[in-house]
Amino acid sequence: MKKTIALFAFALISSIGFAQNGPKIEFAAKDNTIDYGKVTKNENGSRDFIFTNTGNAPLIITNVLSTCGCTVPTKPDQPIMPGKTGKITVKYNMAPGPIRKTLTVESNAVNYEGGRVALKIKGEVISN
């Protein structure tokens, strides 16, 4: 019985250790959110989500999906090596009114289920 429990514990610890290997994405923005605050429609609407690959394998951003055409994301073309930083640029069309948009990052990151991470932008665009 003791051997069975010890074998089970070893297998569990080993599988947890293997799950931690691979690329990991960590965003600098608190809660993965960029707050535009109150901005005028004359601003360019471009903001950067800065991230670091804190894992031990190259991080590949395969896609960044937007919930509408008013938000255009740009992803890195090359893999982000371990310990290096990258950015995802988001350009909002600056139509007057509240900003509440979500983007979904698809990657090979092992620290998010399926490698999918939600990013958010918020704020308010005023007429002037």
Side-chain angles (χ1 to χ4, degrees):
M1 178 72 171
K2 288 182 183 179
K3 288 182 181 179
T4 305
I5 292 173
L7 182 60
F8 177 74
F10 177 74
L12 180 63
I13 291 169
S14 295
S15 67
I16 290 171
F18 288 123
Q20 299 304 319
N21 288 329
K24 297 178 184 177
I25 190 168
E26 298 290 336
F27 284 92
K30 183 180 178 186
D31 299 325
N32 298 348
T33 302
I34 289 181
D35 188 350
Y36 280 63
K38 285 193 177 193
V39 293
T40 65
K41 65 180 183 176
N42 297 330
E43 291 189 33
N44 76 358
S46 183
R47 301 291 190 274
D48 293 330
F49 281 95
I50 305 297
F51 63 89
T52 302
N53 178 359
T54 60
N56 59 8
L59 173 68
I60 300 168
I61 306 293
T62 54
N63 203 0
V64 181
L65 307 168
S66 174
T67 53
C68 74
C70 61
T71 309
V72 179
T74 304
K75 69 176 187 65
D77 293 330
Q78 300 297 317
I80 307 302
M81 301 312 285
K84 301 296 182 185
T85 61
K87 69 178 179 177
I88 295 171
T89 301
V90 178
K91 178 126 171 102
Y92 184 69
N93 73 358
M94 303 306 277
I99 304 170
R100 299 281 183 273
K101 302 297 175 192
T102 301
L103 297 105
T104 303
V105 177
E106 296 178 339
S107 72
N108 64 336
V110 297
N111 58 327
Y112 285 93
E113 186 175 337
R116 295 172 65 95
V117 184
L119 302 178
K120 296 180 182 181
I121 59 172
K122 66 180 185 176
E124 182 180 4
V125 178
I126 55 177
S127 295
N128 281 9

